Amino acid sequence: TRREMAEKQKFYEQHGVLEAYYYDPERKDFWGFVREQPDEVCTLITALYLPWTSPLLQIRFELFGDGLSVFYPDGEEFKEPETLFLERDRARLAQQQAQEKLNQALAKLQELGIDPDTL
């Protein structure tokens, strides 16, 4: 809720957070605050500032018709968590398959009387 977000923002301000950003995907509402030093007054950042590049992290926020996109400093777009999990799972599976092939090859070498450690 807006109240919860306001409480979070107040907490972050009190504890010296230099940047905080909030986004409501249902309303496509973006806002945040930045400051250079913990004891400074925060500057409010709203969707009017978009595209916005974080002074601290150098990531870019940009609002498109389908919602907010966030980009790394090199310009690559942040991926959705589901995409990251899928890529992680595929990489793990590929690693397991490669390890199985390696184990089979090592077993075959030993079967042929070749010590793989001497290669």
Side-chain angles (χ1 to χ4, degrees), residues 64-118:
F64 295 97
D66 61 345
L68 183 73
S69 292
V70 184
F71 299 88
Y72 290 100
D74 68 1
E76 182 183 348
E77 186 174 6
F78 277 44
K79 295 178 182 174
E80 293 291 328
E82 296 81 19
T83 302
L84 289 173
F85 298 148
L86 184 60
E87 289 176 359
R88 177 204 60 199
D89 294 344
R90 285 181 181 157
R92 283 181 180 166
L93 180 60
Q95 182 182 17
Q96 289 170 350
Q97 291 172 340
Q99 186 63 49
E100 288 173 10
K101 285 183 180 180
L102 175 62
N103 291 344
Q104 290 172 353
L106 293 173
K108 186 66 174 176
L109 286 173
Q110 289 176 337
E111 206 177 280
L112 296 171
I114 301 169
D115 180 4
D117 293 331
T118 62

Side-chain angles (χ1 to χ4, degrees), residues 5-83:
M5 292 297 109
E7 288 174 5
K8 284 182 184 183
Q9 183 173 337
K10 184 177 180 181
F11 176 86
Y12 294 153
E13 286 180 42
Q14 291 172 341
H15 288 85
V17 171
L18 301 179
E19 294 185 10
Y21 301 98
Y22 306 90
Y23 178 64
D24 179 347
E26 291 177 10
R27 296 175 47 191
K28 294 187 173 115
D29 189 17
F30 173 86
W31 76 98
F33 69 83
V34 298
R35 59 184 169 187
E36 290 185 20
Q37 298 296 322
D39 58 345
E40 291 180 349
V41 175
C42 294
T43 299
L44 178 65
I45 305 300
T46 66
L48 295 174
Y49 289 91
L50 294 177
W52 171 258
T53 300
S54 155
L56 182 64
L57 302 174
Q58 295 299 304
I59 58 176
R60 187 177 84 250
F61 299 88
E62 198 163 338
L63 198 57
F64 295 97
D66 61 345
L68 183 73
S69 292
V70 184
F71 299 88
Y72 290 100
D74 68 1
E76 182 183 348
E77 186 174 6
F78 277 44
K79 295 178 182 174
E80 293 291 328
E82 296 81 19
T83 302

